[in-house]
Amino acid sequence: MPKRLIAITVLLAACMLQGSCALFGNPGNPLDELRQAISDSVDDPVRASSMLESLERSDQLMLRSAKLLADGATAQIELFVDYDSTPGQFQALYEQVSSARRKLQEALLQEHIVFKNLATADEWAALVAIHTRAVNARAEALGRSAISAATS
């Protein structure tokens, strides 16, 4: 792999793992609005704290998922440029990434259930739109970073 591609991949991965990167115009973490909404909407400080902890665990799972995507794409590119790579190597890579991604998705679902169960019905109604927007924006940003890291 050319040194330039490796350097770009490392730089993008570092930005991705931080959750933001001023080099690429990312103003910060989309989950900040949700953190504030939890603090504003949940009266019970113990539950609010637990919800924030759950959100942080979810964010770490999303970061791990994005890193997995970037690492898998980079490994695939390495196989593509290797004249001697075999279909079996591609299949093994795809199975490995798929299995790891499935485990992360299951963990993220479990964390979502924990988060939702900590909220009352009224709190959930106040948070659900912000939650959905924030999580989707975070996942999209991390996905773009992962793809950029692998293909730059």
Side-chain angles (χ1 to χ4, degrees):
M1 178 182 283
K3 290 181 182 179
R4 181 175 155 201
L5 182 57
I6 293 171
I8 291 170
T9 300
V10 169
L11 175 64
L12 290 172
C15 289
M16 180 180 58
L17 291 173
Q18 285 181 324
S20 67
C21 192
L23 289 173
F24 303 102
N26 184 350
N29 190 327
L31 298 178
D32 289 342
E33 180 185 6
L34 180 55
R35 289 181 183 99
Q36 186 61 50
I38 291 168
S39 296
D40 294 344
S41 301
V42 180
D43 292 330
D44 180 349
V46 173
R47 281 188 309 102
S49 177
S50 294
M51 291 173 81
L52 291 169
E53 290 170 6
S54 175
L55 183 61
E56 294 309 315
R57 288 189 301 269
S58 293
D59 193 35
Q60 290 304 308
L61 289 167
M62 286 188 284
L63 284 167
R64 287 176 47 203
S65 182
K67 183 176 181 334
L68 174 67
L69 177 63
D71 291 349
T74 300
Q76 179 177 326
I77 290 168
E78 290 172 355
L79 288 174
F80 278 142
V81 300
D82 181 1
Y83 181 81
D84 295 323
S85 63
T86 66
Q89 288 174 298
F90 282 93
Q91 191 61 37
L93 172 65
Y94 298 154
E95 288 173 11
Q96 176 188 8
V97 171
S98 179
S99 175
R101 190 166 171 88
R102 195 170 25 260
K103 288 177 185 174
L104 286 169
Q105 288 169 333
E106 289 169 7
L108 191 55
L109 172 60
Q110 292 305 311
E111 204 55 59
H112 170 76
I113 292 168
V114 167
F115 181 89
K116 189 177 105 180
N117 287 341
L118 285 165
T120 65
D122 289 340
E123 291 165 348
W124 184 249
L127 294 172
V128 69
I130 298 167
H131 180 273
T132 301
R133 186 174 57 248
V135 170
N136 286 342
R138 180 69 165 151
E140 182 180 326
L142 289 173
R144 277 194 314 269
S145 295
I147 291 168
S148 294
T151 60
S152 295

